Amino acid sequence: ANFSEQVVESFPSDISTGIYYGWACVGNGDVHKMVLSIGWNPFYKNIKKSVETHIIHTFKEDFYGEILSIVIIGYIRPEKNFDSLEALISAIQEDIEEAKRQLDLPEHLKLKEDNFFHLPESKIVNNH
């Protein structure tokens, strides 16, 4: 789930590029573990900074147009380039496993229940 350019530009300018972990919620749905990439994705040679959220959950359908709420809990590693797509995929899998380990810690699990993730009815999009 990628954030729009407008949302990316509203992120704090002093946040370091790299890979983070935390919690994510689509609309008023369940809260799931996530890995977040902030940066230019050097492997793909992006010229614009992006913020890409990988929610560690399989959804039954697309959720374009929904509100994505995230809480960034911790930092995994800096952004880097890779020699191959296979190396990139391997690093992503390692990032996901690290996120799962970290988010299972009691101090991180309690943030999953934060009221931040409960949208008021007026903010729900597409009847969700």
Side-chain angles (χ1 to χ4, degrees):
N2 298 344
F3 282 106
S4 69
E5 232 177 271
Q6 180 182 1
V7 171
V8 173
E9 290 170 2
S10 71
F11 265 64
S13 59
D14 59 348
I15 193 166
S16 298
T17 60
I19 310 303
Y20 294 82
Y21 61 89
W23 297 105
C25 178
V26 176
N28 226 6
D30 293 335
V31 178
H32 301 286
K33 295 173 180 176
M34 66 90 176
V35 176
L36 185 80
S37 169
I38 299 175
W40 287 271
N41 299 324
F43 184 77
Y44 293 105
K45 298 175 177 46
N46 290 359
I47 57 171
K48 288 193 180 247
K49 191 176 195 179
S50 67
V51 177
E52 299 176 352
T53 308
H54 173 80
I55 302 171
I56 305 171
H57 175 76
T58 302
F59 289 88
K60 292 179 183 165
E61 55 190 37
D62 289 335
F63 48 85
Y64 291 102
E66 294 286 346
I67 293 175
L68 174 61
S69 303
I70 65 168
V71 172
I72 299 171
I73 307 293
Y75 185 77
I76 297 176
R77 64 173 174 82
E79 182 178 46
K80 61 183 178 182
N81 200 352
F82 294 92
D83 295 330
S84 67
L85 182 57
E86 292 76 21
L88 170 61
I89 291 169
S90 177
I92 290 170
Q93 291 304 318
E94 290 172 20
D95 296 338
I96 290 169
E97 292 308 312
E98 178 63 14
K100 288 178 181 177
R101 281 191 295 275
Q102 292 296 326
L103 291 165
D104 281 339
L105 296 172
E107 63 268 28
H108 296 152
L109 271 174
K110 68 182 179 185
L111 295 169
K112 180 180 181 182
E113 305 303 325
D114 195 275
N115 284 336
F116 168 78
F117 290 114
H118 302 288
L119 292 171
E121 291 297 320
S122 63
K123 298 288 185 192
I124 297 175
V125 179
N126 296 339
N127 299 319
H128 290 86

